[in-house]
Amino acid sequence: MNHIKNHIRDDYTTIPNKLIRQVGLHVLAKYIYAYLASMSDDWEFKTYDLCKRLGMNEKTFVKYRNQLVQEGWLFIEPQRKADNGTFSPKTYHILNKKDGETPEKATDNHFVVCGTPRCTTPSVTDGVRDGPNGSHKKKKHKEEKKIKEEKDLLKGNFKNFNPNPRSK
């Protein structure tokens, strides 16, 4: 049997036990969280420089950063466009995930439930891309309707029969 004796008394970062023990959260996501949590509130960084410090490429960083956002451990304020045309930097909020639906105050005027804001506005491309509402569904529906009509004709059901299919 093994035992742990922790001799760290100062210059430390507190990490929630839930994060460390969460099954399914990748070890790199936990590493990113721990690194971000170890920094002061006024620390500014560029993603490229942070990735160099962490020893990972930007795609890997973004993948596991997004996993933290999805799981509710991290909230990233969207960039805002200033009057002079420049964009404000993103603000990362390191959250302490609570049990249930406890809201975390992310900014002065935004409340976020477990760090993941929900977007309810449909996308502009919802009607044209493949998916549950995509254009392929309409084609499939037409094909199914045609097959049903043919089956009805074979059974002798002429209820929906149109002798001139061009005049619909």
Side-chain angles (χ1 to χ4, degrees):
M1 180 176 285
N2 301 318
H3 296 278
I4 293 177
K5 294 209 180 221
N6 190 345
H7 296 276
I8 301 172
R9 298 289 178 247
D10 56 4
D11 194 31
Y12 62 89
T13 301
T14 304
I15 303 296
N17 289 335
K18 263 188 173 178
L19 175 104
I20 301 301
R21 296 177 184 148
Q22 184 174 342
V23 178
L25 190 62
H26 196 274
V27 68
L28 290 177
K30 294 174 185 181
Y31 175 52
I32 291 168
Y33 182 93
Y35 190 85
L36 292 175
S38 73
M39 296 301 179
S40 64
D41 281 348
D42 59 349
W43 180 61
E44 294 179 1
F45 65 93
K46 293 182 179 174
T47 303
Y48 175 78
D49 295 329
L50 177 61
C51 291
K52 283 178 75 173
R53 287 182 180 192
L54 294 173
M56 61 181 71
N57 73 31
E58 289 184 53
K59 286 184 180 180
T60 304
F61 171 77
V62 170
K63 176 180 178 181
Y64 295 114
R65 179 203 65 191
N66 290 345
Q67 187 181 19
L68 288 169
V69 170
Q70 183 180 9
E71 293 293 325
W73 292 105
L74 186 66
F75 171 72
I76 304 170
E77 280 185 45
Q79 288 181 307
R80 291 185 180 86
K81 192 172 184 179
D83 294 335
N84 62 359
T86 61
F87 285 96
S88 66
K90 293 178 184 175
T91 302
Y92 285 55
H93 294 270
I94 301 164
L95 303 175
N96 183 12
K97 193 169 159 183
K98 307 278 188 205
D99 293 334
E101 295 291 313
T102 306
E104 290 281 346
K105 189 170 184 180
T107 63
D108 292 337
N109 55 2
H110 291 92
F111 283 89
V112 179
V113 177
C114 294
T116 51
R118 300 285 187 248
C119 178
T120 57
T121 309
S123 170
V124 176
T125 60
D126 274 348
V128 293
R129 65 175 180 224
D130 290 343
N133 297 325
S135 60
H136 77 285
K137 189 174 182 180
K138 294 175 187 171
K139 291 177 188 173
K140 190 173 183 180
H141 177 69
K142 286 180 181 178
E143 290 171 4
E144 288 174 354
K145 186 176 177 183
K146 187 175 180 179
I147 291 171
K148 185 180 181 303
E149 288 174 358
E150 289 174 0
K151 285 182 180 178
D152 285 345
L153 286 175
L154 291 174
K155 290 180 183 177
N157 183 0
F158 298 104
K159 181 175 144 187
N160 294 325
F161 178 70
N162 183 1
N164 187 356
R166 293 183 186 164
S167 66
K168 283 198 175 194

